[in-house]
Structure formats: C-alpha cells, structure tokens
Amino acid sequence: MSRSPEPRRRVVDVPDLVARARAGQVRAVARLLSLVETDSPHLREAMTLLAPHTGRAQVVGMTGAPGVGKSTSTSALVSALRASGRTVGVLAVDPSSPFSGGALLGDRIRMESHTGDAGVLVRSMASRGHLGGLSAATPQAVRVLDAAGFDVVLVETVGVGQSEVEVAGLADTTVVLLAPGMGDGIQAAKAGILEVGDLYVVNKADADGAGRLRRELRGALSMAEREPGAWEPPVLSTVASRGEGVAEVLAALEEHRAWAEASGALARRRLARARAEIEAVAVAELRRRWTGLGGAGHLDDLAAAVAAGEQPVHAAVDVLLEAVDGAGPPAGSG
C-alpha cells in the first residue's frame, strides 16, 4: 500500500510579496501581517526588505478603559483622516478567544463603514495574554503598515483598564480616552495614565459628569512637573458617535507631531521604541533556541532544583544561557 505524500510547505516569494505590499495591494499587506502574527520563518527576510521603507508613518496609540468608546473614536478619526486625504492602517488589539487563541474581531465589526475603502486597512490582532494591552507582534505589525505606505497607523489597545500604558512606548502620540461615569477621573492618576498621554479626550461629552471630568483632568495635569518647553497635554471633548469634536482631536495630533519633530522628542521616542523591539525579539529568539534544544524538560529540572534550594537561580540561568550559546546563530542570519 502506497504512502500518501506529505503535504508540501507553501512556498512564499517574499520579495514579490513585499513589492506588491509596497504597491498598495491590501492582500499582500495582510499576508505580511500574517507572517508577523505567526512568527513565520519568512519573517526575517520580509523585515529585511521592509526596513528601508519604514519611519514615515505617524503612529497614534488609542487607549482607555472598556466602555469609553475607543472603537467608535478610532472609526471617527479614520473618517476624518480619510477626508483629509491620508491613508490609514488600524491595528485593533482584541482579547484572545479562549478556544482558538485568535482575536474576537469586535473592532472589525464596529468599523464596517470603512469596508471597501482602499485607503484603509483594519486588522484585528489577538493579545494572546500579552500584558500591557498590546500584542507581542504589534511593533513589527506597525513596521509592516509603515513600510506599506500608510500615512497614519492607529493602534487601538485591548481595553483592560488602567494598566494600558505600554502603548505609550510604541506610539508617536498617545491618546487617552475617558468617559464620564466610568470611574476613570482622578483615579486614573494612580496607575500612571496621566503620565503617558499626549492628548486626553473626554468622549461622550454630552453625558452627565463630562464637565466635572474635564475639570478634574485639567487640574491633575496642571500639577505635573514639566521642563521648560515640554509638551502640555490638552484635554479635549468629543461625541465620537456623532463625529463631534473629532476635527479638534485631529488638529491636536498635528500640533503634537510638529512639536515632537521640532523638539527632538519624536526621534528620542522612536529610538527607545527600536531599543525595546530589539530586546523583545532577542528574548523571543533565546526562548525559541532553548525550546529547539529540548529545553522545556530541562527547564523543569532547573526549576525543581531552584525550588528545592539545591541551586541558586543565577546558576540555573547560566546553565540555560550556556546551552543556548552552544546552539549557534539561527539559520539564515548574517
């Protein structure tokens, strides 16, 4: 009896894929994003080809607690950006499905009005349990959209509340959204939310308590110590469901961009972003090599020795790193 042939690995013509993405083919961009999310073996080549074309897009982070209207605000901002002639890529980080591990796609559903617009790409990404409100793949996904020629990349966080400060390290401008009646007022200061925002937007400004929330925010921000010439975050109001106040948000984004470029803050923030991305990819590569060496079982042995007090943790780390060092560089590295 003849054996069934093994399925052939799908061949990916990475240079062609990158060329088509650079030419504006949405399906090619989506395919590159899939390479990022699956940590494909082709990702290294793709990123090498994309690197010379990055650094042009304006990256805007949209964060805030659940219920403040992040998706509605993002959609309204996309409409305003498109009206100004700019192309927009949206990375909407969703909670992971407990069954498939994939994104729940809620943001795609809420942004249906942009379906069919060739100047907009909306991609839902699973957080996969990653802390900080983002997906571990988000930084490289931003690079894909940047290199593909999108003028603005909006990154909407998962919506886990006051812990969502990681986006500030990824974005050129961070927009913190709040809403009256959400318990977000001055309590937000305790989690550092008032330290990461470049713009503060009180959405649902037609609801009771909006004026009080604005006053609380302005009062808290006015007490922050800033160096001369530092950016002073404005507090804006919107009713995103009706598009009210969105033009003012767009104007504030442009004002912050101009200030960041002139002051050097943009260059410093992007340098810090690249440093963090290198570190994250390096740690992931170490974990991959360790796993490839059959290190999962060995790690359990090391953990048992540390837990029993038979070996100090630093000695166990040395064992792990020595094993990884002996594995050599990954295939195809140069």
Side-chain angles (χ1 to χ4, degrees), residues 105-199:
L105 307 182
D107 295 289
R108 278 188 183 173
I109 295 172
R110 288 187 289 271
M111 295 186 196
E112 284 185 347
S113 61
H114 304 293
T115 302
D117 185 346
V120 178
L121 186 150
V122 179
R123 178 74 172 222
S124 290
M125 300 181 67
S127 63
R128 301 184 189 275
H130 185 71
L131 299 179
L134 297 177
S135 161
T138 307
Q140 293 187 75
V142 168
R143 288 187 177 277
V144 168
L145 295 178
D146 183 3
F150 287 96
D151 299 315
V152 180
V153 178
L154 300 179
V155 181
E156 180 188 331
T157 63
V158 71
V160 295
Q162 295 177 355
S163 65
E164 293 186 88
V165 297
E166 185 179 322
V167 70
L170 176 67
D172 299 330
T173 303
T174 301
V175 179
V176 176
L177 289 156
L178 302 100
M182 300 297 297
D184 277 339
I186 295 305
Q187 296 300 316
K190 295 181 180 179
I193 279 291
L194 295 183
E195 299 174 1
V196 302
D198 299 304
L199 276 66

Side-chain angles (χ1 to χ4, degrees), residues 242-262:
R242 300 199 295 262
E244 296 176 8
V246 178
E248 288 76 10
V249 174
L250 195 59
L253 286 173
E254 291 304 307
E255 186 178 351
H256 180 260
R257 167 89 175 203
W259 171 86
E261 288 179 340

Side-chain angles (χ1 to χ4, degrees), residues 65-123:
V68 298
K70 286 194 305 299
S71 294
T72 303
S73 297
T74 300
S75 182
L77 191 55
V78 170
S79 297
L81 287 165
R82 291 298 293 137
S84 69
R86 280 170 282 187
T87 55
V88 188
V90 180
L91 295 175
V93 184
D94 282 342
S96 303
S97 164
F99 302 104
S100 68
L104 297 180
L105 307 182
D107 295 289
R108 278 188 183 173
I109 295 172
R110 288 187 289 271
M111 295 186 196
E112 284 185 347
S113 61
H114 304 293
T115 302
D117 185 346
V120 178
L121 186 150
V122 179
R123 178 74 172 222

